[in-house]
Amino acid sequence: MTPPQYQDEAVIGVSDYYSARGERKELSMYSIMKRTIDITGSLFGLFLLSPLFVVIAILIKWEDPKGSVFFYQTRIGKDEKPFRMYKFRSMLTGAEDKLKELLDKNEISGAMFKMKDDPRITKIGKLIRKTSIDELPQLLNVLRGEMSLVGPRPPLQREVAEYTEYDKQRLSVTPGCTGLWQVSGRNNLCFKQMVELDITYIEKRCIWFDIKIMFRTVKALAGSQDAF
C-alpha cells in the first residue's frame, strides 16, 4: 500500500499534469483563432484601404520622386528570427545612413531610437507617422504570418543586440502591428516600461484581450499625441 504522503504527491502530480495539458490545449486553440483573425483582418484591411494606399503612394512620389514608396527594414520576430518588415517611406532617401549622426539626440531611454523633430522625416512623412498610416503595409507581414495584428512591436537587430535575457522574453511570441505598449502611452514610455507591458501581454494573452487592444488602438489613433 502506498503511504499517505506519497499518495498526496501522486495526486498533486496528476493534477499538475492535467492542468498543464489544459493550458497547452487552450493556448493551441488561441493560436488557431488568432491566426484566423489575422488572415481575415489583413485581407479585409488591404482590400478596404487600397484606395488610401494609392493616394499615399502618389503623395510620397510627389515629394521625393527619386525615392521608393515603400521602406523595407529587417526586424526580429518570434524566436529571434529576422524578417523584412514593410512600411510607407516617411523619411528622406538615405535616412538610415544618417542615423549615427543623431543617436546622441535619442529621446527614449534604452534599446530604441525616437526623435520627435527628426530632420530626416519628409512633410508627408510627418502626416502618415502622426496617424500611423505609415504602418499599414505591415498588413502584408500579417498575411505572410511574420506578424500578427496584436503583439509586441518587432525590434531592430541593433536593438536586440543590447537586450538582456529578461528583455528577450518579448521575442517569445509573434510580433504585432499594435500592442499593449501602443495603447498605454507609446513614445511617452521608456524601453523598460515597454518590456514590462509586452511581458504582461504575453502572460494575459487571449482573444478578448487582443480585441480589446484593437479597439483601444482605434481610439488612440483618433486623438494620438504620442506618435512621431
Side-chain angles (χ1 to χ4, degrees), residues 94-106 113 115 118-120 158:
E96 286 291 291
D97 298 329
K98 299 176 182 177
L99 178 61
K100 291 182 179 179
E101 303 171 14
L102 302 171
L103 287 176
D104 61 336
K105 297 180 175 63
N106 190 9
F113 177 82
M115 184 178 174
D118 194 324
R120 301 173 299 164
R158 61 176 173 79

Side-chain angles (χ1 to χ4, degrees), residues 18-102:
Y18 281 109
S19 176
R21 187 177 178 182
E23 288 177 3
R24 286 196 297 270
K25 184 177 180 181
E26 191 174 304
L27 191 58
S28 177
M29 287 298 297
Y30 164 70
S31 298
I32 293 171
M33 291 177 66
K34 185 178 178 71
R35 183 61 187 145
T36 301
I37 292 172
D38 283 344
I39 293 173
T40 304
S42 58
L43 282 173
F44 179 73
L46 288 168
F47 173 75
L48 185 68
L49 296 169
S50 55
L52 177 62
F53 279 31
V54 173
V55 172
I56 296 301
I58 292 172
L59 292 174
I60 290 173
K61 293 297 286 186
W62 183 279
E63 184 173 1
D64 186 3
K66 294 182 180 180
S68 62
V69 170
F70 296 103
F71 174 68
Y72 311 97
Q73 193 174 52
T74 299
R75 296 285 180 126
I76 305 301
K78 182 181 178 182
D79 299 327
E80 299 186 49
K81 293 180 181 178
F83 69 96
R84 174 183 271 193
M85 189 181 80
Y86 306 107
K87 297 178 74 172
F88 279 122
R89 185 171 61 84
S90 61
M91 291 187 174
L92 298 168
T93 305
E96 286 291 291
D97 298 329
K98 299 176 182 177
L99 178 61
K100 291 182 179 179
E101 303 171 14
L102 302 171

